[in-house]
Amino acid sequence: MEGFLFYWLGWTAWIVCTFLISKETPYRTPISAVLLLWIAFSQHTISITPTWTVAVWTVIIWILCIWWVAKGNIKQTLFMVWGSLSLTLGYAAFKLISLYDPVWVFIDERWLLAICLVACSVLLSNNGATRAIFISLGMVQGDWLFGWILEKWRFGYTSGGTFLLDTLMLGVIGIVFITTYEVTMKRWQLVTTSVKKERQRTS
């Protein structure tokens, strides 16, 4: 059932960030606030045309991501814009192809799309926050673009509906796991290296 993954993972992530993560963690409060806003506005929409509506949460996420992107220097900003536009086009192309020929989507479309865009985000950057911005902007803008294209054909569509809620949540959780694994492995390598050096000194 579409939407179940979002609410299940979203509330779980919010509980973990709010009650289990140390208060000294820098991004604990902002992440908890964003998750709560995301959940609270998940069912609110704005009518753009009679056949096309946009979920309010997509506008909030987009504004927050653009604010984050604007904080960087010109080089970083241009790179973020280029990366997010690449994922935007990839998302819209995936949705259009699956609409025309759904046979090639051999597994759940949400999982397949999330896996593809997570892989692209990981290839584009080795920073967890940047990856999250890439995938958030890419999916939100891609769903807007897909909705705009369908509107030209007078097909009813809601950009930011339950499909995007599930897909983006899966993507963000995937990035969190991958980034956490990479950080853990780097720390483990540092520990093992320091232990080896200490053994060499004592031997």
Side-chain angles (χ1 to χ4, degrees):
M1 184 176 67
E2 287 191 356
F4 171 77
L5 283 173
F6 166 73
Y7 290 108
W8 179 56
L9 293 174
W11 280 117
T12 301
W14 183 79
I15 291 170
V16 170
C17 288
T18 305
F19 300 108
L20 300 181
I21 294 179
S22 172
K23 293 182 179 180
E24 297 177 357
T25 305
Y27 296 114
R28 170 182 171 271
T29 301
I31 291 174
S32 297
V34 170
L35 284 169
L36 198 57
L37 283 172
W38 192 3
I39 294 168
F41 287 95
S42 61
Q43 297 300 319
H44 296 271
T45 59
I46 304 170
S47 294
I48 306 299
T49 68
T51 58
W52 180 30
T53 57
V54 172
V56 174
W57 74 264
T58 61
V59 179
I60 295 173
I61 295 295
W62 185 83
I63 291 173
L64 291 174
C65 289
I66 293 299
W67 171 77
W68 180 277
V69 170
K71 287 170 57 179
N73 55 43
I74 295 178
K75 184 178 179 181
Q76 291 172 333
T77 300
L78 290 175
F79 174 67
M80 294 289 287
V81 170
W82 173 81
S84 63
L85 287 178
S86 299
L87 293 186
T88 297
L89 295 175
Y91 180 98
F94 183 100
K95 291 287 289 180
L96 286 170
I97 293 172
S98 63
L99 178 66
Y100 282 120
D101 187 16
V103 177
W104 67 275
V105 182
F106 53 91
I107 62 174
D108 191 314
E109 189 177 351
R110 297 168 298 175
W111 287 89
L112 184 59
L113 184 53
I115 290 169
C116 291
L117 294 189
V118 166
C120 291
S121 299
V122 170
L123 291 174
L124 286 170
S125 175
N126 57 5
N127 179 270
T130 303
R131 290 170 176 174
I133 296 296
F134 275 145
I135 202 166
S136 298
L137 282 176
M139 287 193 182
V140 167
Q141 294 174 163
D143 213 44
W144 286 351
L145 178 58
F146 181 65
W148 177 76
I149 293 172
L150 291 185
E151 194 276 332
K152 297 301 178 182
W153 296 334
R154 297 294 186 269
F155 290 159
Y157 187 72
T158 299
S159 294
T162 54
F163 176 87
L164 181 60
L165 285 169
D166 284 348
T167 308
L168 181 54
M169 182 58 75
L170 286 171
V172 171
I173 295 296
I175 286 174
V176 169
F177 274 110
I178 292 173
T179 305
T180 302
Y181 171 77
E182 291 175 344
V183 171
T184 303
M185 291 305 296
K186 286 180 181 178
R187 290 179 178 176
W188 176 253
Q189 288 176 354
L190 289 174
V191 170
T192 54
T193 301
S194 62
V195 170
K196 288 180 181 178
K197 288 182 180 180
E198 188 66 27
R199 287 178 178 176
Q200 290 175 354
R201 289 176 185 175
T202 55
S203 59

